[in-house]
Amino acid sequence: MIYDKQRISNALKAVKSKNTAPEILLRKALRSFGIIGCRLHWNKAPGKPDIAFPSRKIAIFVHGCFWHRCPYCKQKEPQTNVDFWNDKFRKTKERDRKTEESLYQLGWKVIIIWECQINENVDYCIEVIKKIYNSGN
């Protein structure tokens, strides 16, 4: 049991919050489609968007399916320490909602891209972003 707790703890410590594989894949795709000039993890906007276009007031968040509770791929619920995880997920969703609300109030457009969407069809994600990006011209 102690080994399991240590293994889980080590695994969670290794989870990156910036420059994740899906985020890097999306950024490379943006660049290949000619959408450049973004700021990464821009701390002058609420929530430090993963990708921001400040001049166009576009904030893009790449949400991990497990941590943000993806509505598309329906991640499994943790089987141990259920109260801890439910509280953690609730707080994450609440923080996401407040961040989006703050950005909207400042006139920003918010795009949420899920990890599974990037992995399944990054070109579709780019098309969604392009529509919003080009609507500001």
Side-chain angles (χ1 to χ4, degrees):
M1 184 62 131
I2 292 173
Y3 170 76
D4 267 354
K5 284 184 181 181
Q6 188 61 49
R7 184 180 54 81
I8 292 168
S9 177
N10 290 341
L12 292 177
K13 286 177 186 175
V15 174
K16 293 166 54 171
S17 62
K18 294 183 192 177
N19 301 315
T20 62
E23 188 181 324
I24 291 169
L25 181 62
L26 182 65
R27 291 191 327 234
K28 284 181 179 179
L30 283 169
R31 199 172 18 251
S32 74
F33 277 85
I35 302 174
I36 57 172
C38 66
R39 304 275 182 169
L40 303 179
H41 315 289
W42 200 53
N43 63 5
K44 293 182 182 178
K48 287 201 253 183
D50 297 311
I51 301 168
F53 295 94
S55 63
R56 295 173 186 260
K57 287 193 167 186
I58 298 172
I60 302 170
F61 292 92
V62 177
H63 279 351
C65 294
F66 176 76
W67 299 103
H68 295 267
R69 307 318 290 163
C70 177
Y72 304 109
C73 64
K74 308 286 189 208
Q75 292 287 310
K76 288 183 179 179
E77 296 293 327
Q79 300 298 305
T80 59
N81 211 355
V82 174
D83 291 339
F84 166 82
W85 285 108
N86 285 337
D87 188 51
K88 186 166 190 59
F89 296 145
R90 182 188 54 75
K91 287 177 182 175
T92 298
K93 290 170 95 172
E94 180 64 19
R95 184 179 64 244
D96 291 344
R97 188 193 61 73
K98 285 180 180 178
T99 296
E100 285 182 55
E101 189 176 298
S102 296
L103 285 162
Y104 288 136
Q105 288 177 356
L106 293 171
W108 285 67
K109 297 172 192 95
V110 178
I111 303 170
I112 305 297
I113 304 286
W114 292 93
E115 173 185 10
C116 63
Q117 292 174 315
I118 294 169
N119 293 335
E120 288 174 17
N121 191 346
V122 72
D123 290 346
Y124 174 77
C125 297
I126 298 300
E127 290 302 318
V128 169
I129 294 168
K130 274 175 46 177
K131 282 182 187 175
I132 294 170
Y133 183 86
N134 291 331
S135 71
N137 289 343

